[in-house]
């Protein structure tokens, strides 16, 4: 086993791009230090840069303002300079579908004409936004629709944080000046469970989450953000150090033999290696339990023996298990376990002391449920050889 995959996967996707002459810098997605640097480069005196950064930050991320002319605590000529050199732009919503259960699925167009999906899930007293981190995915989990889509590229921090901002636009959730602070937020939680493997786009995801967590802007606390990974072991400790959000892991099997088939990254970092990395995570982040996601596939991973093995594997890890009834997609090679089977599996986990909620599929009628995301424009199915080469599996 080598750690070679992680850096390779990130490097080949990095698209260094110089701005063309006259092209404006998008402020959305710049971290505070990067924003400050950009303002200085645009001629802001060093002494003022920090204050200007704060002011702009609040306009963009707290008030949701997109027009420099409205930033009334900045001098007029400074606003003109900003409008000349910078822009505040979000990816474009191409379409919005609303499910019978209120789930909203946005098809979002990003630079280069690529598309990703973002899903808003309203719940009692809260609302969760499921955001994408890549166009497609390099990994090829056999039950996942996104896994059949060719990876096109990593999203930039701007495109990741932009998904949160455009959902707030659509929900009408930017605060109004002078209005009392509304504590019940429509968009109160984020899950990085859309398209892509967030830990193969680590820096961009980290920077976007830092922006989302910043108390003077979108201000979603780190415990309101859950990052889901298929098990990119070397990046787990870094996630604890540099992001500190909650962690979910796509576990899905209790033997290496089955996990190799369902979540092929297991061939690189197997169950034991993954559990070792996870054991450290709650301590390192002083956070709650890790969520173990477990998709229920009829006759594949759903037996009582699986449930008992899972209990053994979880020993010593503060964990809860999220059982996900398999969501079907055209051509999927699996079927959903029966409700009785799922309940029997859950009972074994609960008797062993693990909370094990069964995830209610949301937005199925608009193909917005877990694992159903895939953009219509990127339907090319990879060849097996390509999948193996990209995932580096031929060397493991
Ligand atoms: N790439 C990351 C995050 C996105 S997937 C990861 O794999 O963790 C979000 C969750 O949905 C994962 O647990 C994934 O395994 C699960 N999932 C994928 N396809 C699914 C399907 N068809 N039905 C149910 N869950 C699925
Ligand atoms: Fe990628 Fe996650 Fe789907 Fe696996 S489950 S193919 S890691 S998006």
């Amino acid at each position: 086993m080598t750690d070679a995959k992680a850096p390779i996967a990130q490097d080949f996707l990095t698209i260094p791009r110089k701005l063309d002459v006259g092209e404006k810098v998008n402020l959305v997605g710049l971290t505070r230090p990067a924003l400050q640097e950009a303002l200085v480069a645009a001629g802001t005196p060093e002494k003022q840069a920090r204050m200007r950064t704060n002011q702009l930050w609040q306009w963009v991320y707290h008030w949701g303002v997109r027009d420099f002319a409205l930033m009334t605590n900045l001098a007029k000529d400074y606003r003109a300079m900003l409008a000349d050199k910078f822009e505040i732009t979000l990816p474009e919503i191409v379409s919005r579908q609303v499910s019978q259960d209120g789930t909203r699925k946005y098809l979002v167009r990003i630079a280069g004409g690529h598309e990703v999906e973002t899903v808003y899930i309203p719940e009692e007293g809260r609302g969760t936004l499921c955001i994408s981190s890549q166009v497609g995915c390099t990994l090829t989990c056999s039950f996942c629709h996104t896994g059949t889509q060719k990876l096109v590229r990593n999203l930039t921090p701007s495109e990741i944080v932009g998904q949160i901002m455009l959902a707030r636009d659509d929900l009408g959730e930017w605060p109004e000046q002078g209005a009392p602070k509304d504590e019940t937020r429509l968009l109160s939680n984020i899950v990085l469970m859309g398209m892509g493997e967030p830990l193969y786009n680590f820096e961009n995801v980290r920077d976007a989450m830092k922006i989302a967590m910043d108390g003077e802007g979108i201000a979603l606390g780190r415990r309101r953000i859950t990052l889901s990974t298929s098990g990119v072991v070397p990046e787990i400790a870094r996630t604890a150090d540099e992001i500190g959000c909650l962690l979910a892991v796509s576990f899905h099997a209790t033997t290496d033999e089955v996990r190799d088939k369902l979540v092929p990254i297991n061939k690189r970092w197997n169950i034991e290696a993954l559990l070792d990395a996870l054991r450290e995570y709650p301590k390192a982040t002083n956070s709650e339990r890790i969520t173990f996601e477990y998709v229920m596939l009829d006759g594949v991973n759903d037996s009582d023996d699986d449930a008992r093995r899972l209990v053994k594997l979880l020993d010593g890890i503060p964990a809860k298990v999220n059982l996900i009834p398999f969501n079907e997609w055209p051509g999927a090679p699996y079927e959903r376990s029966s409700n009785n089977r799922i309940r029997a599996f859950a009972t074994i986990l609960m008797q062993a002391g693990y909370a094990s909620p069964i995830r209610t599929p949301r937005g199925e009628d608009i193909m917005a449920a877990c694992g159903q995301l895939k953009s219509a424009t990127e339907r090319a199915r990879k060849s097996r050889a390509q999948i193996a080469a990209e995932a580096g599996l031929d060397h493991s």
Side-chain angles (χ1 to χ4, degrees), residues 258-335:
V258 176
R259 197 163 190 271
D260 280 352
K261 292 202 183 86
L262 298 180
V263 190
I265 199 175
N266 195 68
K267 294 185 191 170
R268 185 165 292 272
W269 297 291
N270 65 12
I271 290 179
E272 195 188 341
L274 177 58
L275 291 175
D276 283 347
L278 294 177
R279 240 170 238 121
E280 301 303 316
Y281 195 89
K283 275 180 263 161
T285 53
N286 188 24
S287 69
E288 297 133 51
R289 297 164 294 179
I290 292 176
T291 301
F292 283 72
E293 296 162 285
Y294 199 97
V295 65
M296 297 299 289
L297 304 172
D298 185 32
V300 176
N301 63 354
D302 62 350
S303 68
D304 286 353
D305 280 348
D306 279 306
R308 285 190 279 267
R309 265 195 301 272
L310 184 56
V311 168
K312 282 215 181 87
L313 290 170
L314 295 184
D315 191 35
I317 303 179
K320 74 169 189 181
V321 181
N322 209 328
L323 298 175
I324 317 177
F326 174 60
N327 294 311
E328 300 193 0
W329 39 273
Y334 302 104
E335 282 173 22

Side-chain angles (χ1 to χ4, degrees), residues 48 52 60 118 185 266 270 301 324 391:
Q48 292 177 11
R52 299 282 169 255
V60 176
T118 307
R185 289 173 61 161
N266 195 68
N270 65 12
N301 63 354
I324 317 177

